[in-house]
Amino acid sequence: MESRCENCIIRQFNSLRAMSKEELKKVSDSKTTKTIKKGEPIFEEGDKLNGVYCVRNGISKLSKLSANGKDQIVKLASKGEVLGQRSVISQESTNLSAIAVDDMEVCFIPKESITNTLQKNPNFTLEVLRHMAHDLKEADDVIVNISQKTVKQRMAEAFLYLKNNFGEDADGFLALTLSREDISNVVGTATESAIRIISEFKKKGLIHTSGKKIGIKDERKLLEMVEGF
Amino acid sequence: MESRCENCIIRQFNSLRAMSKEELKKVSDSKTTKTIKKGEPIFEEGDKLNGVYCVRNGISKLSKLSANGKDQIVKLASKGEVLGQRSVISQESTNLSAIAVDDMEVCFIPKESITNTLQKNPNFTLEVLRHMAHDLKEADDVIVNISQKTVKQRMAEAFLYLKNNFGEDADGFLALTLSREDISNVVGTATESAIRIISEFKKKGLIHTSGKKIGIKDERKLLEMVEGF
DNA sequence: TTAAAAATATGATATTTATCAGTAAATTGT
DNA sequence: ACAATTTACTGATAAATATCATATTTTTAA
């Protein structure tokens, strides 16, 4: 396992690539690696973060608890994503919890390495800014989707999203297996509703399942459903 | 009307304040002022923007059209906000339309002034980044709200939001008067549903109305409703 | 391995919200 | 000032979704 940031391939996927050699060395010297087991939190809503977390392996769900006790999953983060950046930048406590969906490996980078670089290296700052601009655009899209599409459409969309972002395994199932509850929290619906729609999609031949694993069978029809046909 | 950016008070509210004197002078020399009438667009979804728009006066709604022809309003921007920043930063066409809710006055700033400064002045970039981090946090909150709260709760929240952000007039009505349709587009519901809930709130003594103007009568109860009591 | 716990599944029903149809009121342009 | 148009409103109904109850399957842990 590579332990020097300078050589870490993950870096290619995130803003750290805009750091200079020396900056990267500092990060590397100050970082620590952590293992997080499935279901455990990396950090929780309201925490004050002392740094950011760079995902090396596994998937994390970023979610927020609502008054009625249900989680809303705002984003699923995988290899190369940096968690907690926003809180560190705005110097506020996080508004989201990050919980491992898989067993995970993450690097913790103390905030000083980040904030120092933000103040000195415009390239890095710009790179982070571009990432954040992208995230904001995605968030806007989610807002429009949730408020304008039916639960059925959002379910179809979620399956396509999971396929496009996390791929399929050898047997044609979605590589990222989420519990029915997590699926419902991504889509923003009741767990029973999500389960019901999974059954319906199965009957219609749009997907197939095996235990909690789900595979996409008719991508075209799912896409049509998302578009509203 | 002040026409030099260096002296423009609006600047105090946005990231332009992190610019140096020379940078600001360039902006000032290249900017143009535009008047936009109520209902007219500043830019529309899909446009490629050649710059950003700094709001001097009036309110703009940032919205996105869905497949079924209904708009979702993602944000209401007022004095001091800079529109189109995200698109300019990520060099993509906009995903949102900006339409004047009021008569407006905006300054158009060509993107070169912005992108040059972004590359050279880390303070400015950091300032923009902080703003964007804030916007992203707000967007996450909107996502959770929409998916976890009822239409009634979101309506209550919308009224409180309008009061807190745009204030009240001398007669105790919300200073920003939106059409019922715009309200429904902020909340993400059918216009009829929004109207129905307005009637209900009126009966319950939570708000009062006069024509399309709405005033808050019982803030405490509205707050309780948002929290789910 | 087996009992207990958790997750998945399905039916019945209630609630929320949207849609359609039509009327009343307000705004606009002449 | 007035007809035309848009916006606001209300009722009836349909559709979508949540909730509650309960059964079944899967996973977990002793």
Side-chain angles (χ1 to χ4, degrees):
Chain A
M1 182 63 62
E2 184 50 54
S3 69
R4 300 293 309 165
C5 292
E6 297 90 311
N7 304 317
C8 178
I9 190 160
I10 299 304
R11 184 168 60 94
Q12 298 308 319
F13 302 131
N14 64 39
S15 349
L16 295 185
R17 70 174 162 215
M19 281 192 173
S20 71
K21 255 203 170 127
E22 308 89 78
E23 285 163 346
L24 214 48
K25 190 175 177 312
K26 270 195 189 163
V27 167
S28 199
D29 290 340
S30 61
K31 78 153 204 291
T32 55
T33 302
K34 289 189 184 183
T35 306
I36 293 127
K37 289 216 193 78
K38 180 177 170 175
E40 284 178 359
I42 303 175
F43 54 78
E44 291 188 279
E45 208 177 324
D47 284 358
K48 233 181 147 336
L49 301 186
N50 297 314
V52 300
Y53 297 84
C54 177
V55 178
R56 283 192 146 210
N57 253 304
I59 314 273
S60 168
K61 56 178 173 180
L62 293 164
S63 65
K64 196 174 171 181
L65 199 67
S66 73
N68 61 42
K70 224 179 133 51
D71 268 331
Q72 173 66 33
I73 296 178
V74 166
K75 190 180 161 85
L76 290 164
S78 57
K79 186 177 12 178
E81 302 220 41
V82 178
L83 309 179
Q85 245 180 3
R86 186 171 67 258
S87 315
V88 165
I89 288 164
S90 56
Q91 297 160 317
E92 303 164 318
S93 46
T94 69
N95 56 328
L96 301 173
S97 300
I99 294 170
V101 172
D102 272 332
D103 286 349
M104 296 186 74
E105 207 183 333
V106 302
C107 291
F108 173 77
I109 304 172
K111 65 177 170 200
E112 288 71 25
S113 319
I114 303 293
T115 49
N116 284 341
T117 312
L118 279 175
Q119 266 148 23
K120 288 177 196 149
N121 180 346
N123 282 334
F124 177 68
T125 315
L126 192 50
E127 194 63 33
V128 173
L129 182 57
R130 289 217 177 98
H131 267 270
M132 200 145 308
H134 174 77
D135 281 353
L136 185 51
K137 183 177 176 175
E138 279 200 339
D140 284 343
D141 288 343
V142 171
I143 291 171
V144 177
N145 266 343
I146 288 195
S147 72
Q148 303 286 11
K149 291 190 174 149
T150 65
V151 173
K152 232 176 264 185
Q153 287 176 304
R154 273 143 52 203
M155 285 286 290
E157 196 160 44
F159 292 139
L160 296 173
Y161 170 83
L162 290 174
K163 179 177 170 183
N164 293 333
N165 286 272
F166 305 103
E168 295 176 325
D169 66 17
D171 305 319
F173 290 106
L174 293 171
L176 177 59
T177 302
L178 293 175
S179 70
R180 304 298 196 243
E181 190 180 3
D182 277 344
I183 293 175
S184 78
N185 288 344
V186 167
V187 169
T189 189
T191 306
E192 297 96 321
S193 298
I195 290 174
R196 242 180 269 281
I197 289 170
I198 289 173
S199 301
E200 188 189 324
F201 282 7
K202 218 161 72 176
K203 266 184 210 146
K204 284 189 184 162
L206 304 177
I207 61 175
H208 56 116
T209 70
S210 164
K212 55 167 50 183
K213 277 194 269 183
I214 292 174
I216 289 179
K217 219 169 158 185
D218 192 336
E219 187 158 354
R220 164 172 287 280
K221 273 198 187 148
L222 281 174
L223 252 169
E224 283 175 2
M225 176 167 283
V226 173
E227 304 300 332
F229 294 121
Chain B
M1 182 63 63
E2 185 49 56
S3 70
R4 300 294 308 166
C5 291
E6 297 92 311
N7 305 316
C8 179
I9 189 159
I10 299 304
R11 183 168 62 92
Q12 298 307 320
F13 303 132
N14 65 38
S15 351
L16 294 186
R17 69 174 162 215
M19 281 193 174
S20 70
K21 255 202 169 128
E22 308 90 76
E23 285 163 347
L24 213 49
K25 190 175 178 315
K26 270 195 189 162
V27 166
S28 199
D29 290 341
S30 61
K31 78 153 206 294
T32 54
T33 302
K34 289 189 184 184
T35 306
I36 294 128
K37 289 217 194 78
K38 181 176 169 174
E40 284 178 358
I42 302 174
F43 53 78
E44 290 189 280
E45 207 178 323
D47 283 358
K48 237 183 144 335
L49 301 187
N50 297 314
V52 300
Y53 297 84
C54 177
V55 179
R56 285 191 144 212
N57 254 304
I59 315 274
S60 167
K61 56 178 174 181
L62 293 165
S63 66
K64 194 172 173 182
L65 199 66
S66 73
N68 62 39
K70 223 179 135 48
D71 268 330
Q72 174 66 34
I73 296 178
V74 167
K75 191 182 161 80
L76 291 165
S78 58
K79 187 182 2 183
E81 301 220 41
V82 179
L83 309 179
Q85 245 178 6
R86 186 172 65 257
S87 316
V88 165
I89 288 165
S90 55
Q91 297 160 318
E92 303 163 318
S93 46
T94 69
N95 56 328
L96 301 173
S97 298
I99 296 170
V101 171
D102 274 330
D103 286 349
M104 295 187 75
E105 206 183 334
V106 301
C107 290
F108 172 78
I109 303 172
K111 65 177 170 201
E112 288 69 27
S113 319
I114 303 293
T115 49
N116 283 340
T117 312
L118 280 174
Q119 268 148 21
K120 286 176 198 152
N121 180 346
N123 283 333
F124 176 68
T125 314
L126 192 50
E127 194 62 33
V128 173
L129 183 56
R130 290 217 176 97
H131 267 271
M132 201 149 300
H134 174 77
D135 281 354
L136 185 51
K137 183 177 177 175
E138 280 202 337
D140 285 342
D141 288 343
V142 171
I143 290 171
V144 176
N145 268 344
I146 288 195
S147 71
Q148 304 286 11
K149 292 189 174 151
T150 64
V151 174
K152 233 175 263 185
Q153 287 176 306
R154 273 145 50 203
M155 286 286 291
E157 194 160 46
F159 292 139
L160 295 173
Y161 169 83
L162 291 174
K163 178 177 171 184
N164 293 333
N165 285 273
F166 304 104
E168 295 176 324
D169 65 16
D171 304 319
F173 291 106
L174 293 171
L176 177 59
T177 303
L178 294 174
S179 70
R180 303 300 195 242
E181 190 179 3
D182 278 344
I183 292 174
S184 77
N185 288 344
V186 167
V187 169
T189 190
T191 306
E192 296 95 323
S193 299
I195 290 173
R196 242 180 269 280
I197 289 169
I198 289 172
S199 300
E200 190 189 324
F201 282 7
K202 220 162 70 175
K203 267 184 209 146
K204 286 189 183 160
L206 305 176
I207 61 174
H208 56 116
T209 68
S210 164
K212 56 167 51 184
K213 277 193 269 184
I214 292 175
I216 290 178
K217 218 170 159 185
D218 192 338
E219 187 158 354
R220 164 172 285 282
K221 273 200 188 147
L222 282 173
L223 252 169
E224 283 175 2
M225 176 168 281
V226 173
E227 304 300 332
F229 294 120

